[in-house]
Amino acid sequence: MFLEVKNIKKAFHKEQVISLLNFTLEAHKTLSILGKSGCGKTTMLKIIAGLESPDSGDILLNSLRINEQAPEKRGIVYLYQEDLLFPHLTVFENIAFGLRIKKVDKNIIAEKVNTMIQRLELEGQADKMPHQLSGGQRQRVSFGRAIITNPSLLLLDEPFGSLDAGTRTRMQLLFKKLAEEFSITSLFVTHDLKEAILMGDEIGYMEKGNLKVYKDRDSFINDPMTGVQNEISFWDSLNTKKENEPMNEEVKIKNETE
Amino acid sequence: MKLSWKPYILSLLVILIIFPFVYLVLLSFASDWQFPNLLPSYFGSRNWQMVVGSENGLLGSLTLSIIISLSVATISTLSGFILSRTVSYHSKKHTLTLLTYFPYILAPVVFGACLSYFFLKIGLFGTATGVVLAQFMIAFPYALIFFSSFWGNRTKSFENLVSTLGGSQWQSFSKVLFPMAGGMLLICFFQTFLISWFEYGLTSIIGVGKVQTLTIKVFLFIKESNFFFGALSCCLLIFPPVLLLYINKKYVFNKLI
């Protein structure tokens, strides 16, 4: 297994945020994790990224224990819900940031960044400043900035949470495409049921600091805890109601006037 | 047609604001202005030539003031920026922030008198280094308080992002935090420069008359009733802040707004 998380526990003061975390993830796969606010998703991601230290347990990346490794040495990029583009840098420089701090050759940077800009469908935006971009464009730059560094693991903390429905769908498709193209291994945290099903090769559900990873999509759908069954019943009830009503109010009024 | 008083009132206000500055400049060119003469008996550049000739030590005071204020502003802005991060992320943040207000509880003269024993013990009494240190103790808490608004969850997220992208803490400061706080750094530099530039109480006590900054000189001339040199040193005193204000307005405020 590429990522192994074993017996992780974490408490802040007396509150147990992560109860007991155990899961594995294969390379080049995406594990989407569904969970409500405050269930410990962000803390889990921060522990894996090295931004928080666990009270106990081990994290193994490529069979190597990384608990004591500094975040900058792990090769794990953590993406926030906010795009966090550097306001003083252009689109080009934002994407190039990770390569510049690793002191990669200028020509290689230019080549890689230009290719990434094309892949992100951001042609003609390279010289723009972050405030000149739309929400979707900003999130794409944020993706590009992370992916270009070729991270061993990408952690996404509700990355589309602040986008409108249309942009969100386009970004989901783009992420799927990029994940395949760049063979990305990722943990995708979301509180959106549909997004969790769409984005993950594997799906997990997190509640009160516990994570349950399902063996397949059907098990996730059939588990009443995940809320999928509730959602299905809701839409079914709407459908049944619609079928029982002979005509809707608008048609009724129209007929009466005629 | 209805007569509007607005332009007249406005002009009067402008004159009232500008008059003291113009009067100071005129006074700095004059000498031997005795009552009841309407105009001074001498009006020329003699006083200003003396500055260059450094007969009254004004050029030396100007240079010393600039060096002291630049040192205080640079040290307190940089250390304030870096240490305010530590304070803001500290678990005892509120207590530490409360302590930063401590130097402002006392009047600078009283504060200086309290500290004078320690300055005497470490051999900094009556030295420019001692004055820089004393003024730093006033300017540094200001910088700490000023930068506290910069550090928060969002800035912390930027720092975390840089480190997961492979950047060290130094790279985080040099490539992200300093450029992002550029406007604030300049404003803080300007403010701490002014705190130091116009500082009188602490400077007079710790400097014991040996460190004669321009502010000390102005008071000396006024005590001697030498209004012409007093006005001249006031002009010199105003010039650097006006220059900084112009730079700030042109390059900082316009970008921030």
Side-chain angles (χ1 to χ4, degrees), chain B residues 60 113 134 200:
Chain B
Y200 175 76

Side-chain angles (χ1 to χ4, degrees), chain A residues 51 71-72 76-78 80 82 84-88 97 101-103 145-146 149, chain B residues 154 156-158 160-169 171 175-177 179-180:
Chain A
L51 301 170
E72 60 266 30
I76 299 175
V77 177
Y78 177 69
Y80 289 77
E82 260 187 289
L84 293 179
L85 297 187
F86 304 125
H88 58 288
F97 186 83
I101 54 178
K102 283 176 183 157
K103 297 188 170 57
R145 181 176 59 184
T149 59
Chain B
R154 198 174 147 76
K156 185 77 188 158
S157 303
F158 271 113
N160 287 343
L161 177 72
V162 174
S163 65
T164 64
L165 283 170
S168 63
Q169 197 167 37
Q171 284 171 321
K175 302 221 181 279
V176 177
L177 299 174
M180 269 174 64

